[in-house]
Amino acid sequence: IASPTVDINSVRRKIGMVFQSFNLYPHLNALRNVTLALRKTLKLNPREAETRGQAMLAQVGLEHKAKEFPDQLSGGQQQRVAIARTLALEPEILLLDEPTSALDPELVESVLQVIRKLRDDGMTMIVVSHQMAFVKEAADRVVFLKSGNIVETAPPKEIFDSPKHPDTKKFLEKVSR
């Protein structure tokens, strides 16, 4: 995608991003947070945007929270609204940056369930995570980074059972204690 002949804006339209800090608009309810980009960027009419927004909230198990504002939602619910907002744009690839890092431990599972369902439905995702049990269970491929560089990449079983690089071994020893 770095080639000068590639239309980077076309590529960007196929990639959705879910940030670790939700980035919901506090003055908009859950449904309006999901439909804003549909109306402003995709130029959908309000009825089409609302229909798609409701479907995306249902996909993440929050259809009953459509009229709630971010401060009325738990952290896990806010993150699921952020996921719904991104999915509403129908990306081909979903980037998730530490999707559970800002959550209390009891809320983490609700977000991980949504990510598992997306995986099972065939969504291509790149997930940055320190949730090693989830990575081991859900990933097709693990890429271990250090200082922004790829240190090791392999299927989860290989990375977790017999890491090759000393930095990967050291990290996994620390997190398994």
Side-chain angles (χ1 to χ4, degrees):
I1 66 172
S3 168
T5 61
V6 171
D7 177 2
I8 194 67
N9 289 324
S10 174
V11 172
R12 286 180 179 142
R13 282 189 287 278
K14 297 175 185 176
I15 300 172
M17 177 73 187
V18 178
F19 300 92
Q20 69 185 48
S21 58
F22 322 134
N23 293 333
L24 299 178
Y25 291 103
H27 63 289
L28 299 178
N29 65 33
L31 182 60
R32 298 274 296 159
N33 264 285
V34 173
T35 61
L36 182 64
L38 295 174
R39 291 181 293 107
K40 300 295 183 185
T41 304
L42 297 186
K43 307 291 187 212
L44 294 184
N45 71 50
R47 184 177 302 220
E48 290 174 307
E50 186 166 319
T51 299
R52 190 183 300 184
Q54 288 283 11
M56 293 303 105
L57 286 172
Q59 187 170 343
V60 298
L62 291 176
E63 61 276 14
H64 61 289
K65 297 288 187 178
K67 301 298 181 199
E68 306 272 332
F69 288 84
D71 67 351
Q72 298 171 304
L73 302 171
S74 71
Q77 290 169 335
Q78 289 181 53
Q79 187 64 298
R80 286 156 49 204
V81 169
I83 292 170
R85 175 183 57 198
T86 301
L87 292 175
L89 295 169
E90 300 178 337
E92 293 177 20
I93 299 170
L94 190 58
L95 307 177
L96 296 108
D97 179 20
E98 290 284 0
T100 60
S101 70
L103 304 179
D104 294 331
E106 63 271 10
L107 301 175
V108 168
E109 186 55 32
S110 67
V111 173
L112 296 181
Q113 284 178 337
V114 169
I115 296 170
R116 281 186 199 97
K117 183 180 181 319
L118 291 171
R119 176 206 58 205
D120 294 345
D121 291 345
M123 174 60 74
T124 298
M125 294 179 280
I126 298 173
V127 182
V128 175
S129 181
H130 287 91
Q131 297 282 335
M132 291 300 104
F134 174 71
V135 169
K136 191 174 190 177
E137 167 218 336
D140 295 320
R141 184 150 210 74
V142 177
V143 178
F144 183 78
L145 300 170
K146 183 176 181 182
S147 303
N149 296 308
I150 296 175
V151 170
E152 185 170 354
T153 182
K157 183 162 179 46
E158 189 176 321
I159 289 277
F160 286 96
D161 293 351
S162 55
K164 308 281 186 274
H165 197 279
D167 288 334
T168 309
K169 288 179 187 177
K170 186 175 170 182
F171 173 79
L172 292 173
E173 286 169 2
K174 281 183 185 177
V175 297
S176 67
R177 288 184 202 155

